[in-house]
Amino acid sequence: MSAARTALMRPVSWLLLLLAVGVAVRLSWWPQTFQADGVMLQPTDSPYYARFAQLQLRAFPRFEPFDAYVNAPEGATIIWPALHTGLVMLAAWAAGPGREEAGVAFVDLGAFVLDSVLLWWLLRRRGGEPLAWLAVATVGLLPVVTANTGLGNADHHVHEPYLAAATAWLFAEALAEGSVRRAAWTGALAGAARLLTPMGFLLVFPLAAALPLYALRHRGQPLPWGRLGLALGAGAAAAAWAGAFLSGQAGSLSYVEWTSFQPLASLAAGLGAGALAEAVRDRRRALRMLGAAGLVAAPLLPELAHGLQDLLGKDALLAAVQESQPGWAHPGWLADMLELLGALGLLLLAVVARDFRARGTAEAAVTLATAAAWLSCTLLQVRFLQPAAGPLGLGLALGFTSLHGAWPRGQRLLGLGAVGVALLHAAAVAAGRVPTWEDGPMEEARLRPVMDFLREHTPAPADPLDGRTPPDWSVVASNDWGHLVTLWGQRGAVATPFSQAPVHVRGNARAAAILAATSDEAAWRLCQQSAARYVLVSPGPVAGASPEQLSAGLHRRLLQHAATREGEASGHFALVLDAPGGRGGGDGRPFGRLFEVVPGALLEGTASPGSEVRAELRLRSNTLELLTAVHAGRAGADGRYGLRVALASEPLGAVAPLGPWKVVVDGTGQAVDVPAQAVRGGLAVPVPAAPAR
């Protein structure tokens, strides 16, 4: 074998070893992903990616962003990134019809391999083999990255650490060479990153922060500071505007969708960074650029205020999810997500800072600025720890290679051993954190019988994969289960895990209002407004409703006793299915309960004026729980009475009545058959008069 080929094969072999370790760690999710009754994708976005990919396969070659089954009956435009959606669609297509979810389960695993190879190739060109391998190894094995890219994940966040590291390195090359063209291309990559992740356009802001830092260290050099900032912002703006135009949203300034907000914000960031960099030598020019940045940013102020309100809790769902929690309030979580490898990276950033002070390298400047920016954002919201992993990996690699070059041979071996231990520890932590089947199935898996029932035993839409045609009816459930309703149940969901966009906020608010309704009639009317035919309740939070509201509302009555208890019995919500296995699987109670929303049958008859009337129906659920529905009322002054009941004396689903209704009037019981047609049609059912004594 030639010397050149040997030199090539050695780094490739190290890369293959790294990828093999990373893949093995991520494959440890296999038992939780491939279960006996189907594929269990990791919550919450991956299940909807499986549906979204199927919609795109149906619409191919046209890209179809609208799905009428999301936040039904309105429907919603899904703003997920097109290129990542294409990867998911390709995986679903490769798996074949009926096995799309199995293919989707491998998306983030494949993205990890592809992104790692591309980052390794990029870093190796200028930084050399040790730096490239170490940076890719660190990013790939940080617990925060492995936790979000294991088997069963198809989420777009997989790309964020690699994009953050790649753009940082490219911008460092642009600064080192003083190349306006490279700065523009780096900006274009950051602007186009929205094709891979919705957070992509944010990449330009940490890069912009690096420019004044580098200019301050090299203020005596005649570099085109202002033009570098302008090129970075203009390149990002050009790519982002192209995306906004193609998405048909170029006339909007909404921060949620791909609109003109992103290019204007990117251009303002570039101009602002250029102004601060120019201030070290030409204050007049700096003021002109700063004024231009202000003019560009001015139209964005209302939308920036809107976004800030959402982040501070106006959007109930955004405020509730873990990734929106402030990192400063959860130091234990941050420690778990960084572990030994992350701590080593933070320590070696200090070495990078020392090198920047001594030598002023562009790589050190950009790594420090981007790491500081992303980690500062992480203290405000933990979602930013994912992109922070990119510059953190770069920092570890730069710091270690700097020390390694200055150490004697013995210390080099010790240093290599320390890094090796950190990498192996990271792999062990990631693999050890995977839950086993003995821990119990994931909560989402407990609801599979409910979703199967919806798909197989309820009126079916003409084509559940036709996202343009609204479904005739919808399902109310916690927003946590919305993606399962659309994927497994193939029915419209009123609430989903989507947030921020007004249509998502409205849908989640409608579902929360129904589940928190304090009266049966109020809940029924709200269900009519959302065309809701079924209601699913389960333990846990509902975005937009406080625990106190749920406890006082429909949610508790349905979950606790299936709205059968006297005084709280429902005339509009009929139990049709229980999902076995309570939370944690230990209390024997149903984890979830599915109810059909019906007008209810009206039991009508006559009795002695003012006398009590009771109606009872015994039933057995599919989990063998015995329930007794009890309705009570009094006859009016004219002796007439009416009791509205939701349950029929024949099965509406998997819950079996144990006989007819028993109506007790004036102390005498009467057996009354209430057909399903009566409760579904809101019909009156006459109760025979009690025989004379």
Side-chain angles (χ1 to χ4, degrees):
M1 185 179 293
S2 66
R5 187 176 180 185
T6 301
L8 176 65
M9 288 300 294
R10 183 179 177 184
V12 170
S13 298
W14 279 104
L15 176 64
L16 292 177
L17 176 62
L18 162 66
L19 294 178
V21 173
V23 168
V25 168
R26 288 159 173 81
L27 284 176
S28 59
W29 284 93
W30 190 283
Q32 284 289 92
T33 303
F34 294 100
Q35 301 175 5
D37 54 354
V39 179
M40 183 66 246
L41 298 174
Q42 300 300 314
T44 56
D45 288 343
S46 296
Y48 187 76
Y49 255 121
R51 172 173 170 81
F52 201 43
Q54 293 178 58
L55 295 183
Q56 304 317 314
L57 286 172
R58 178 66 61 88
F60 188 80
R62 179 174 52 87
F63 183 75
E64 179 53 79
F66 186 80
D67 189 356
Y69 283 61
V70 171
N71 300 124
E74 283 190 83
T77 297
I78 310 304
I79 58 172
W80 278 355
L83 187 55
H84 183 77
T85 299
L87 294 176
V88 184
M89 182 181 72
L90 182 62
W93 172 80
R99 291 188 49 81
E100 291 89 351
E101 291 178 58
V104 170
F106 288 91
V107 167
D108 276 8
L109 181 63
F112 154 71
V113 173
L114 180 61
D115 290 352
S116 296
V117 171
L118 291 175
L119 182 60
W120 173 81
W121 172 81
L122 177 67
L123 297 178
R124 185 171 176 265
R125 290 186 308 121
R126 180 184 176 97
E129 176 62 31
L131 182 139
W133 190 90
L134 192 54
V136 172
T138 303
V139 173
L141 290 177
L142 272 172
V144 67
V145 178
T146 56
N148 291 287
T149 59
L151 186 69
N153 270 290
D155 202 353
H156 41 250
H157 295 300
V158 62
H159 305 289
E160 290 168 5
Y162 298 96
L163 285 168
T167 53
W169 190 256
L170 288 172
F171 194 53
E173 291 183 341
L175 293 182
E177 299 174 11
S179 172
V180 173
R181 178 189 294 181
R182 282 185 177 271
W185 280 112
T186 303
L189 176 60
R194 179 66 175 76
L195 291 167
L196 287 170
T197 171
M199 289 174 56
F201 91 98
L202 294 176
L203 293 167
V204 74
F205 298 96
L207 299 178
L211 181 58
L213 177 66
Y214 189 68
L216 185 64
R217 175 64 176 77
H218 295 277
R219 52 185 172 272
Q221 294 187 13
L223 290 175
W225 303 118
R227 289 170 56 203
L228 286 168
L230 177 60
L232 175 68
W241 250 316
F245 177 79
L246 292 175
S247 69
Q249 298 292 325
S252 171
L253 288 178
S254 169
Y255 86 95
V256 177
E257 300 171 285
W258 197 344
T259 67
S260 290
F261 178 91
Q262 289 86 0
L264 287 175
S266 300
L267 184 57
L271 286 168
L276 293 176
E278 279 288 351
V280 301
R281 65 177 184 184
D282 189 342
R283 293 187 178 181
R284 288 187 177 181
R285 180 178 174 83
L287 287 174
R288 289 197 298 269
M289 292 190 70
L290 197 60
L295 289 175
V296 172
L300 306 180
L301 292 179
E303 197 63 18
L304 285 170
H306 175 207
L308 182 61
Q309 289 177 347
D310 282 346
L311 293 177
L312 292 178
K314 181 181 177 182
D315 186 316
L317 177 56
L318 197 64
V321 296
Q322 183 187 38
E323 62 185 17
S324 295
Q325 303 304 308
W328 61 264
H330 300 276
W333 185 88
L334 292 179
D336 286 344
M337 290 294 101
L338 292 175
E339 281 284 350
L340 178 62
L341 189 58
L344 184 60
L346 291 172
L347 288 174
L348 288 176
L349 279 174
V351 177
V352 176
R354 185 204 64 181
D355 283 357
F356 175 65
R357 184 177 179 182
R359 296 185 292 134
T361 62
E363 293 88 349
V366 179
T367 299
L368 287 172
T370 54
W374 288 119
L375 289 172
S376 297
C377 291
T378 299
L379 295 178
L380 300 177
Q381 286 204 348
V382 298
R383 70 176 71 243
F384 296 108
L385 189 58
Q386 189 84 355
L392 194 60
L394 274 181
L396 188 149
L398 286 170
F400 180 78
T401 53
S402 174
L403 289 176
H404 190 259
W407 281 345
R409 182 178 180 84
Q411 289 178 325
R412 289 182 185 180
L413 292 176
L414 288 175
L416 285 172
V419 172
V421 168
L423 291 172
L424 290 174
H425 175 75
V429 165
R433 189 174 283 124
V434 177
T436 64
W437 187 252
E438 285 71 24
D439 298 326
M442 297 171 63
E443 291 180 349
E444 288 76 8
R446 299 183 192 278
L447 291 176
R448 191 184 290 273
V450 177
M451 304 305 163
D452 291 344
F453 179 90
L454 285 171
R455 187 181 65 253
E456 298 170 3
H457 300 288
T458 64
D463 183 358
L465 293 180
D466 178 9
R468 281 285 168 183
T469 303
D472 294 330
W473 52 270
S474 60
V475 179
V476 170
S478 166
N479 49 280
D480 283 341
W481 317 132
H483 290 340
L484 300 184
V485 172
T486 58
L487 175 65
W488 288 348
Q490 297 184 355
R491 300 297 183 261
V494 175
T496 68
F498 289 119
S499 65
Q500 296 170 269
V503 64
H504 302 320
V505 174
R506 288 193 299 270
N508 293 342
R510 289 199 308 272
I514 290 170
L515 295 174
T518 55
S519 75
D520 207 47
E521 289 300 320
W524 156 255
R525 289 193 297 270
L526 290 171
C527 283
Q528 301 314 294
Q529 295 173 15
S530 291
R533 186 163 180 166
Y534 288 89
V535 172
L536 169 63
V537 293
S538 62
V542 174
S546 67
E548 293 76 18
Q549 289 174 314
L550 295 178
S551 180
L554 179 71
H555 185 272
R556 177 193 60 81
R557 300 195 301 274
L558 296 185
L559 183 62
Q560 193 175 85
H561 54 77
T564 58
R565 184 178 297 168
E566 182 176 353
E568 295 184 327
S570 174
H572 296 295
F573 299 91
L575 180 65
V576 294
L577 186 76
D578 276 341
R583 182 169 290 243
D587 59 7
R589 293 181 300 167
F591 176 73
R593 282 182 149 153
L594 183 67
F595 296 81
E596 184 175 345
V597 183
V598 295
L602 187 62
L603 300 179
E604 292 183 330
T606 59
S608 301
S611 62
E612 183 183 18
V613 181
R614 292 173 60 87
E616 298 182 0
L617 178 70
R618 298 182 67 243
L619 56 152
R620 182 175 57 237
S621 79
N622 55 294
T623 59
L624 304 183
E625 181 180 3
L626 295 177
L627 298 165
T628 301
V630 180
H631 292 258
R634 289 189 178 276
D638 60 355
R640 300 181 62 83
Y641 66 84
L643 299 176
R644 188 167 296 279
V645 298
L647 293 162
S649 49
E650 58 180 300
L652 296 181
V655 177
L658 301 178
W661 279 90
K662 180 182 179 182
V663 181
V664 180
V665 180
D666 292 334
T668 303
Q670 296 278 86
V672 179
D673 281 317
V674 178
Q677 180 182 3
V679 297
R680 287 173 171 156
L683 305 179
V685 177
V687 179
R693 295 185 179 180

